[in-house]
Amino acid sequence: TQSTWEMGILLLFLALLSVAQGQSSSSNSSCLKISCVAPGSQAFCSKSDQPLLSLDTGVCKSDQVCYVNKRYDGVCVKKTSNVQPIYVYPGQPCIKNDPNRICAFGPKACGDDGVCAGFNINQACVRTADCNYGLYCQRGFCSPILGVGAECTSNDACGRLAYCYYSSIDAATGYCVAYFSFDDGDQIGVNVGGTFVVQAGAEKLCRSQSVNVNGTCTKGLKSTRKGLNCTTDTDCKTTDSNSFASCKCGFTTGGNRYCDLHGDDEEWGSAHTAFLNYFINTKDCHVGAGWTECGRPDLYKAWKCAELKAQYFVELKDNPPCLQDMYAYYGFFRDYVNFCMSGRLLYISIAVLAPVSYTHLTLPTIYSV
């Protein structure tokens, strides 16, 4: 349920994100430098010595993976293949006792009609995914999905084709608005003390799928120096002389900075087109599934891959070969492998034989020096 309290948390998150983004463009910080050492020349597959990160592709054996801790040091641990089952929603096809397609919600049963069972209207539920198609979980009971224009307190209430939009920061309820119903120039951001706040995911209310800093739907600008070296944001000109793209750190051997994309660059256009294609072809998906495969893994992967290529345009530029070989173990690169490099990686689970505590990391964009 979207509440005023949650929107307050969103405001705090956006403020912190703004600070982080400001740091990423600072010329007073040094970018990460990646060193590809000779295979087998060091004891660790990943060794950090800020701002240098040394990667050794020859340490781990064929049955091992590089598992990286919070200090960015990596050790080799045993890997096991683990193909995850597909969780099937009410109303979707199933086969009884099939370990690969599991009816995971509601009664958690595959019916005699070959579809997953769900709870009916007014039956108790924990989440929307427990309810049958066309229903959502409201205050613990399955209720009919609302129409466009109806008051709402959650996105689930509006179904697959609409979004619960709050017109002010202190609104007790929102109202259901159809996706792609706002034109360029329409205001969807809420002014809070001079700062415009946009609900997470609300940009898809815009036909352009993009919002500017003033909370207005817009297709954005083109970055005239995308992918070129830079020192500060002012080096990254756009088609508007008063606006600049971000100057961001890449993941390179030289610690380079590059000008990022802007909203109207072709990479973002490809991502928006891919999402629209996915959206049109998954309209009948259960609302509880959200933006997941929904029976069209091909379209879902195409969208996510295009989005990653746009979102991490700089981070994916000029990566040294050793990092490319170890993508699967470093933060967002893992998603890039799964969505953009089909066949390279399915699912990996780690069996740690010794009592070692390691977690996957997101590589730092910069180190302060």
Side-chain angles (χ1 to χ4, degrees), residues 89 156 160 278 282 285-294:
Y89 292 82
D156 285 355
R160 179 78 177 175
Y278 158 80
T282 58
C285 185
H286 194 292
V287 64
W291 305 133
T292 57
E293 289 190 0
C294 288

Side-chain angles (χ1 to χ4, degrees), residues 113-296:
D113 56 354
V115 298
C116 288
F119 294 137
N120 291 318
I121 189 170
N122 294 330
Q123 287 189 301
C125 55
V126 175
R127 60 187 71 82
T128 292
D130 294 330
C131 303
N132 276 319
Y133 181 82
L135 306 177
Y136 77 106
C137 191
Q138 181 189 35
R139 297 178 181 176
F141 295 94
C142 294
S143 304
I145 285 173
L146 307 176
V148 171
E151 290 189 352
C152 56
T153 55
S154 71
N155 287 329
D156 285 355
C158 301
R160 179 78 177 175
L161 307 182
Y163 180 92
C164 188
Y165 172 71
Y166 284 74
S167 58
S168 67
I169 196 69
D170 57 354
T173 60
Y175 59 96
C176 294
V177 177
Y179 286 110
F180 312 112
S181 59
F182 285 85
D183 294 315
D184 283 355
D186 288 343
Q187 184 77 33
I188 67 167
V190 177
N191 191 334
V192 182
T195 299
F196 286 92
V197 177
V198 178
Q199 288 173 248
E203 71 279 356
K204 289 181 172 57
L205 295 177
C206 304
R207 298 185 196 278
S208 63
Q209 300 181 52
S210 181
V211 182
N212 64 19
V213 294
N214 296 319
T216 302
C217 292
T218 177
K219 65 179 181 180
L221 305 169
K222 290 185 183 294
S223 177
T224 58
R225 301 193 73 251
K226 69 177 184 181
L228 298 181
N229 289 91
C230 59
T231 303
T232 65
D233 289 353
T234 54
D235 296 328
C236 301
K237 297 179 180 179
T238 69
T239 47
D240 179 349
S241 60
N242 295 316
S243 298
F244 303 93
S246 296
C247 178
K248 294 171 60 179
C249 288
F251 293 111
T252 67
T253 58
N256 303 79
R257 294 175 184 273
Y258 301 104
C259 291
D260 201 5
L261 305 173
H262 214 281
D264 197 30
D265 282 312
E266 60 180 333
E267 291 83 358
W268 276 118
S270 296
H272 296 157
T273 298
F275 175 77
L276 183 60
N277 190 28
Y278 158 80
F279 176 83
I280 290 172
N281 286 279
T282 58
K283 286 183 176 181
D284 293 332
C285 185
H286 194 292
V287 64
W291 305 133
T292 57
E293 289 190 0
C294 288
R296 291 304 304 267

Side-chain angles (χ1 to χ4, degrees), residues 330-359:
Y330 290 90
F332 74 87
F333 287 115
R334 297 190 67 194
D335 289 334
Y336 180 72
V337 171
N338 282 324
F339 291 118
C340 301
M341 304 170 69
S342 179
R344 177 99 182 252
L345 174 74
L346 291 176
Y347 296 93
I348 293 178
S349 65
I350 309 298
V352 182
L353 302 181
V356 183
S357 177
Y358 290 100
T359 58

Side-chain angles (χ1 to χ4, degrees), residues 37 42-47 54-56 59 66 73-76 358:
V37 301
Q42 65 180 21
F44 299 90
C45 48
S46 175
K47 181 66 176 175
S54 300
L55 301 182
D56 190 333
V59 175
C66 185
D73 295 323
V75 295
C76 299
Y358 290 100

